[in-house]
Amino acid sequence: SLAAVGACLFDLGLGTLLIRSIAREPERARPYVAAALRALPWLAVLGGVVVVAVGRANMGPAAMPSLGWVVLQLIFTAVSQVLRAAFYAFERMEYESASIAVERGIWIAAGLWLALGRPDPAALFAAMAAARGVGVALGAWLFLRKVAPAVEDPRPVPLGPLLREAWPFGLNLGLTTLAGSADVVLLSFAAPEAEVGLYRAAGLVIMPLTLGAIAVNNALYPRMCARPE
């Protein structure tokens, strides 16, 4: 839950804005992606400080190795969000599905292997970060080779105006994520970790019920952006 909230600070609405912008100007896909990636170091510092500070206050100094891996995972997630925006804008979601399948396959295999031994939170987060990194590498290859193999319009996209235009999307994303995760974060300050985990697991059971609406929205949004009339 802390990672979900922190992910908003690594994104700040750029993913949603990129879908709209690339759908309207597909010939500028590479410059838009490059501009978003230029913003990631600054967003990583902002999000990383918040995640580490809140996590350390909640779980103590012993959690620092795990929090470090969480921050690395969030950086990979932010890059993945940028690539996903391009896939959605071009309506090539199958490429995102391919990268996610590889990533989750590695994570499940590593998680099972670690679970059979002595489960260590830092090792689990490290495996998750490594799996996310492999997924990002595959996504980047698919973007450069399959989605936008050539730069049709090389004009650079200014970062400042892009961030100013993205912040309303980021505010909406942040408030939505906070509403969905605040209960778990707050509960972690008052209840043992095992009880918080059970509470979170129970909430995940009903999550598949929302997948239909999410799939329809993901399919319609880039088309609506490309044809605003």
Side-chain angles (χ1 to χ4, degrees), residues 24 223-229:
R24 292 180 179 178
R223 293 199 175 196
M224 293 171 64
C225 294
R227 304 170 183 84
E229 68 281 356

Side-chain angles (χ1 to χ4, degrees), residues 51-67 188-189 193:
V51 169
V52 171
V54 175
R56 191 178 189 279
N58 185 18
M59 295 174 283
M64 290 301 293
S66 296
L67 291 172
S188 67
F189 286 95
E193 291 183 3

Side-chain angles (χ1 to χ4, degrees), residues 193-215:
E193 291 183 3
E195 295 182 13
V196 177
L198 290 173
Y199 175 83
R200 179 60 174 165
L204 292 176
V205 172
I206 64 172
M207 187 173 293
L209 298 177
T210 66
L211 294 180
I214 293 174

Side-chain angles (χ1 to χ4, degrees), residues 142-176:
L142 290 170
F143 171 73
L144 294 173
R145 296 295 297 270
K146 303 293 184 180
V147 175
V151 181
E152 299 180 25
D153 187 345
R155 289 177 299 153
V157 175
L159 183 56
L162 191 69
L163 289 175
R164 287 194 294 272
E165 197 172 359
W167 79 261
F169 296 105
L171 180 62
N172 177 68
L173 175 64
L175 292 175
T176 302

